[in-house]
Amino acid sequence: MATYKPVVVQAVPKLGERITQDLVYWRGYKIDFSPVPPYNYAVTASSRIHIYGRYSQEPIKTFSRFKDAAYCATYRDDGNLLVAGSEEGAIRLFDISGRAPLRQFDGHTKAVHVVGFLSDKYRIFSGGDDYSSNLWDIPSATEIVSYNEHTDYVRCGCASKVNADVFITGSYDHTVKLFDARTKSSVMTIEHGQPVESVLLFPSGGLLVSAGGRYVKVWDVLKGGQLLVSLKNHHKTVTCLCLNSSGQRLLSGSLDRHVKIYSTTSYKVVHSFNYATSILSLALSPEDETIVVGMTNGVLNVKHRKPEERKEKSQKKRKPVYRTYVKGRTYMPKQEDFCVSKPVKRVLRKYDKLLKSFQSSKALDAVLEPPIRLYTPEVTVAVMQELHRRGTLRSALAGRDEKQIHLLLTFVARRVIEPRFTPVLVTVADMITDIYQPVVGQSAIVDRQFLRLQEAIGKEIDYQEELLEVLGMMDTLFATFTKKRATYLEENKSNGLTETAETNTNN
């Protein structure tokens, strides 16, 4: 009896994901709940400000001295003070070690959504729904100057780290304004074109990023607000921006549930994160250790980058001596020696065992199981091809109930358009149609799958016809180019002979 040969599954190369340094770096984040180390972060929610440790699951401190909703809690550069706006229009300054506010700044008539420290650490800027942008002195708790140039809500802002007098605000009036505390009006106005949700200034102070609508735009401040690049990689409104510690990556969060990471040299997307719901806020810790995202469902998502694993130097095990490896390799059997070959035991898969015992129908059922049908369809098609080679494919397809017919037609309709499976599955579809044509009209589920199969094959035929038309056009173009080239060469050749004849005549 001949030895059974397992079914040969045709290996088809797959296009893998391109592995880049950014992919490896940004994929290193994971959700982790661990003990509390440094780099706390502030979360503003409802009428409270919660302070979380980088790995804490519960807030380690809470500020709750607000009558209504609190907004935009922001740390000072030294981490000792925290400032926040509120719905009632008051701005409160807190000491991280205490609980009661150190200062309260009153001057806005409506909600204050934007607050921050200037780089000198002694002044605060703010922006509110009363369309004003104000500057405050911390020691005296007084207003230094108020700018009323925006015509809609001021919802974002940032301060320059290079110049202690410069800060920027963005508004729903589609503009971004740059203010200098030494002047009485804005020194630059940039038209974003959409309600501005977030602004960001590079550490060098030369580039400004604004986000509004579906657009993220980069401006050159040193050239008077010249637009450098406009990015449209989100499907919904972009709500927040963030830079990594080196300034080489720009992060943007959006209502489309995605965080995009751009390279600041090419401004191309190098990585992205997907979240459960729309994103409202985004922050990245120093050294890019932790990324924190606030979402519309009230959930705070915290991801930590996996620490680099240090390779411990293991003690070298003593290896066998060289003669152990070469022992017996050069031995040549003598004429009177009897050689015994050790048989290799071959483990057969379930469908191979069924094929070996000539159970065609059960072998087909085995490869139509979800793990094989969905993730390795090439195995299913290979078994169908083997059954067709044996001449038992028709009998394996026959005698099936409504559920099994539905499963077969679903698989064929989905995979028949793939070029690697088309030759086999067209034959399978033809046999199924012949076998079950008498029962058409008795089951709505089976009828629907037959219509789906017809539609898939019809679309594929249309695509093939269009491709043939394109190939015909290309053949015509190539033939025209070839003819013109041949004519050009003949003309040059004839011109060369004429010139040669004229030269000889003159001589």
Side-chain angles (χ1 to χ4, degrees):
M1 182 178 176
T3 307
Y4 173 78
K5 295 181 180 180
V7 175
V8 179
V9 179
Q10 184 180 3
V12 180
K14 295 181 179 179
L15 293 175
E17 188 176 19
R18 185 181 177 186
I19 303 299
T20 62
Q21 291 183 354
D22 284 282
L23 183 65
V24 175
Y25 185 82
W26 294 107
R27 265 190 174 177
Y29 284 93
K30 63 183 180 67
I31 298 176
D32 190 11
F33 302 93
S34 300
V36 181
Y39 297 118
N40 300 337
Y41 57 91
V43 179
T44 311
S46 184
S47 59
R48 289 178 172 84
I49 301 173
H50 301 289
I51 307 297
Y52 289 85
R54 193 170 46 167
Y55 298 97
S56 64
Q57 190 172 0
E58 297 293 334
I60 59 177
K61 194 167 190 177
T62 300
F63 298 99
S64 57
R65 300 300 180 92
F66 294 90
K67 298 178 182 179
D68 209 331
Y71 299 116
C72 193
T74 306
Y75 277 103
R76 196 167 73 172
D77 289 344
D78 56 9
N80 294 327
L81 297 180
L82 187 75
V83 66
S86 63
E87 182 66 30
E88 67 266 21
I91 301 169
R92 292 178 175 84
L93 182 70
F94 296 91
D95 188 343
I96 294 300
S97 59
R99 290 190 178 276
L102 294 177
R103 296 282 189 277
Q104 180 168 320
F105 306 89
D106 298 313
H108 287 282
T109 57
K110 291 186 179 180
V112 179
H113 286 264
V114 184
V115 286
F117 292 93
L118 295 185
S119 57
D120 61 4
K121 303 179 183 179
Y122 298 109
R123 288 177 292 177
I124 294 172
F125 72 90
S126 63
D129 287 355
D130 56 1
Y131 310 164
S132 66
S133 304
N134 298 356
L135 197 62
W136 310 85
D137 181 62
I138 294 177
S140 61
T142 57
E143 181 182 291
I144 299 174
V145 62
S146 178
Y147 303 97
N148 296 284
E149 298 188 17
H150 285 294
T151 58
D152 207 334
Y153 299 154
V154 181
R155 288 297 175 91
C156 56
C158 63
S160 171
K161 296 184 181 297
V162 179
N163 192 326
D165 294 308
V166 173
F167 67 96
I168 295 168
T169 57
S171 170
Y172 280 4
D173 62 4
H174 301 189
T175 63
V176 177
K177 292 186 179 290
L178 189 146
F179 296 96
D180 191 324
R182 295 164 294 188
T183 62
K184 296 182 179 180
S185 61
S186 62
V187 296
M188 186 183 298
T189 300
I190 296 172
E191 183 68 33
H192 179 81
Q194 299 284 339
V196 182
E197 298 285 351
S198 181
V199 291
L200 182 68
L201 198 61
F202 274 66
S204 62
L207 296 179
L208 171 69
V209 186
S210 62
R214 296 169 56 190
Y215 295 90
V216 176
K217 298 184 179 182
V218 183
W219 313 84
D220 192 336
V221 178
L222 302 179
K223 291 185 178 180
Q226 178 182 347
L227 178 63
L228 294 181
V229 64
S230 179
L231 308 173
K232 190 180 178 182
N233 297 98
H234 288 282
H235 302 295
K236 293 184 179 179
T237 300
V238 182
T239 56
C240 46
L241 297 170
C242 181
L243 272 176
N244 75 330
S245 57
S246 64
Q248 296 180 355
R249 296 291 180 266
L250 172 67
L251 287 75
S252 65
S254 168
L255 297 179
D256 63 2
R257 303 183 295 108
H258 288 84
V259 171
K260 303 285 185 181
I261 303 174
Y262 307 87
S263 168
T264 54
T265 54
S266 62
Y267 293 104
K268 293 182 179 179
V269 177
V270 295
H271 194 70
S272 64
F273 292 112
N274 298 332
Y275 289 88
T277 58
S278 301
I279 297 167
L280 294 178
S281 58
L282 168 69
L284 194 63
S285 70
E287 300 179 359
D288 307 337
E289 290 289 335
T290 308
I291 183 170
V292 184
V293 170
M295 296 178 286
T296 54
N297 60 354
V299 173
L300 188 70
N301 187 291
V302 184
K303 293 184 179 181
H304 303 285
R305 209 170 76 86
K306 296 178 183 177
E308 296 181 359
E309 298 179 357
R310 296 181 179 177
K311 295 181 180 179
E312 297 180 357
K313 294 182 179 180
S314 58
Q315 295 181 354
K316 293 184 178 180
K317 295 182 180 180
R318 186 180 176 183
K319 297 181 179 180
V321 293
Y322 178 71
R323 65 173 177 269
T324 306
Y325 293 106
V326 299
K327 185 177 180 181
R329 286 192 177 186
T330 57
Y331 178 79
M332 296 296 293
K334 298 178 182 179
Q335 188 175 2
E336 62 272 11
D337 290 341
F338 182 76
C339 298
V340 179
S341 60
K342 186 178 179 181
V344 179
K345 187 177 180 180
R346 184 175 292 176
V347 179
L348 297 178
R349 297 184 181 274
K350 182 180 178 180
Y351 56 85
D352 276 319
K353 291 178 181 178
L354 293 169
L355 286 173
K356 184 179 179 181
S357 58
F358 303 102
Q359 301 182 52
S360 303
S361 184
K362 291 184 178 180
L364 184 58
D365 292 337
V367 294
L368 286 175
E369 293 293 327
I372 299 178
R373 183 182 78 247
L374 298 176
Y375 302 109
T376 55
E378 59 273 9
V379 175
T380 306
V381 176
V383 171
M384 289 179 175
Q385 188 175 12
E386 175 64 18
L387 292 173
H388 182 57
R389 187 187 67 81
R390 294 185 178 191
T392 57
L393 179 59
R394 180 177 288 272
S395 61
L397 294 171
R400 296 182 174 269
D401 57 18
E402 181 184 37
K403 185 177 179 181
Q404 292 174 331
I405 298 171
H406 174 266
L407 191 64
L408 270 170
L409 289 172
T410 303
F411 176 79
V412 173
R414 183 180 179 184
R415 300 292 182 178
V416 71
I417 59 175
E418 296 187 28
R420 54 178 177 161
F421 301 146
T422 300
V424 178
L425 293 184
V426 166
T427 304
V428 174
D430 191 21
M431 288 186 180
I432 293 174
T433 305
D434 289 342
I435 295 170
Y436 297 102
Q437 186 178 4
V439 299
V440 172
Q442 298 180 11
S443 171
I445 298 175
V446 174
D447 293 346
R448 190 160 52 249
Q449 290 304 317
F450 270 117
L451 291 174
R452 184 183 171 191
L453 176 61
Q454 182 184 6
E455 183 182 357
I457 294 176
K459 286 184 178 179
E460 184 64 21
I461 291 173
D462 293 339
Y463 293 150
Q464 294 291 339
E465 290 177 352
E466 291 179 4
L467 287 174
L468 289 174
E469 291 177 2
V470 174
L471 286 173
M473 296 177 188
M474 294 175 67
D475 289 340
T476 306
L477 290 174
F478 291 149
T480 306
F481 292 152
T482 306
K483 186 176 180 181
K484 286 184 177 180
R485 180 178 176 81
T487 306
Y488 177 75
L489 291 173
E490 288 178 1
E491 290 179 355
N492 287 345
K493 188 175 180 181
S494 61
N495 291 336
L497 291 173
T498 305
E499 290 174 1
T500 305
E502 289 178 357
T503 305
N504 293 332
T505 304
N506 294 332
N507 291 333

